[in-house]
Amino acid sequence: MADRTLDARHLKCPLPILKSKRALADVPVDGTLEVLATDPGSPDDFVAFCDSTGNELLDSGIADDGAFRFIIRRKR
């Protein structure tokens, strides 16, 4: 279970990434953030986001409701 969940469904790029960056600030180092998003570019965006910020994308997939689901570990 993630330390925090961010519901970014129905938000268009770049809002899911911007809100995730803000939400990660409230997650302890080595804690996890679950993000739910529906923007079709989200899978590529979250890979690039984690690569550029040094955070770790632990898992990605599809949630029960069809939204994209990402688990991010805060590294710094």
Side-chain angles (χ1 to χ4, degrees), residues 2-18:
D3 293 299
R4 183 163 181 203
T5 298
L6 172 66
D7 185 353
R9 291 177 283 203
H10 309 294
L11 298 177
K12 302 291 182 196
C13 183
L15 288 177
I17 293 295
L18 294 174

Side-chain angles (χ1 to χ4, degrees), residues 2-4 20-35 49-50 53-59 70-76:
D3 293 299
R4 183 163 181 203
S20 295
K21 182 177 180 181
R22 186 175 299 151
L24 273 170
D26 293 332
V27 172
V29 173
D30 287 327
T32 56
L33 173 68
E34 174 187 43
V35 182
F49 171 71
C50 288
T53 61
N55 294 299
E56 183 180 0
L57 184 61
L58 294 176
D59 190 32
F70 307 98
I71 304 293
I72 301 167
R73 181 183 313 274
R74 181 178 175 199
K75 297 307 281 185
R76 14 179 166 162

